[in-house]
Amino acid sequence: MKNLLVPIDFSEVTAALLRTATELGRALRAKVWLVHVAAPDPDFVGFKVGPQYVREQRAEILRQEHQDIQAFAAELVGTGVDAEGLLVQGPTTETILEMIGKLEADMVVMGSHGRSALFRAFVGSVSEQVLKESRVPVLIVPTKHD
């Protein structure tokens, strides 16, 4: 394996996901692509962007997310893992599936939030959708609840 795609959403599963990505990256001598899929720009999904302060808030959120994903990648590099952080915008599942091809990923390593069946029935689960549609193996790192 040469490339691992690791979608990051900055949730409670992120720390466990980064540990797993570090271990796999080292063991497989693979490049770890940390990817955060940000929400699409409001214009992209047909909404008016509103006043300037709304646009500035959105831009600040994207800047912070970009800095965070870069910091995570730097942490992995600091442990000897070849890693790079990317921030992309788009619909989450579709974008992750597209990134598999663009990055020539051999495996996806992603987290699961452990949400209820009712939540998944109404909202869906990104990890389940990627698992169903991916053409490469998907490793799911579960969230541990007390």
Side-chain angles (χ1 to χ4, degrees):
M1 288 200 187
K2 294 180 182 178
N3 292 295
L4 302 176
L5 171 61
V6 183
I8 300 288
D9 67 358
F10 306 118
S11 69
E12 69 279 355
V13 75
T14 299
L17 194 53
L18 290 172
R19 282 191 301 275
T20 301
T22 300
E23 292 171 13
L24 285 172
R26 264 196 216 124
L28 300 171
R29 295 189 174 155
K31 181 163 189 169
V32 175
W33 293 92
L34 301 176
V35 176
H36 175 63
V37 180
D41 284 326
D43 283 339
F44 177 74
V45 292
F47 293 108
K48 301 279 185 202
V49 292
Q52 182 64 31
Y53 77 90
V54 172
R55 291 191 298 271
E56 289 170 0
Q57 283 178 331
R58 179 73 183 128
E60 182 55 35
I61 290 168
L62 289 173
R63 275 192 292 278
Q64 187 61 54
E65 289 174 342
H66 183 260
Q67 289 173 356
D68 291 345
I69 199 76
Q70 294 302 315
F72 287 147
E75 285 179 33
L76 269 69
V77 168
T79 67
V81 174
D82 184 12
E84 192 165 332
L86 301 173
L87 181 131
V88 294
Q89 287 184 285
T92 307
T93 301
E94 293 86 350
T95 304
I96 291 169
L97 293 168
E98 286 174 17
M99 294 305 290
I100 291 170
K102 287 181 180 179
L103 299 174
E104 298 179 359
D106 300 298
M107 180 189 288
V108 177
V109 181
M110 63 189 307
S112 171
H113 295 282
R115 294 193 173 113
S116 71
L118 183 62
F119 179 89
R120 289 191 315 270
F122 285 106
V123 178
S125 162
V126 172
S127 57
E128 285 181 15
Q129 292 171 337
V130 170
L131 191 58
K132 286 179 187 176
E133 297 181 37
S134 175
R135 56 179 172 67
V136 299
V138 178
L139 173 65
I140 304 294
V141 177
T143 300
K144 292 189 174 133
H145 296 283
D146 295 335

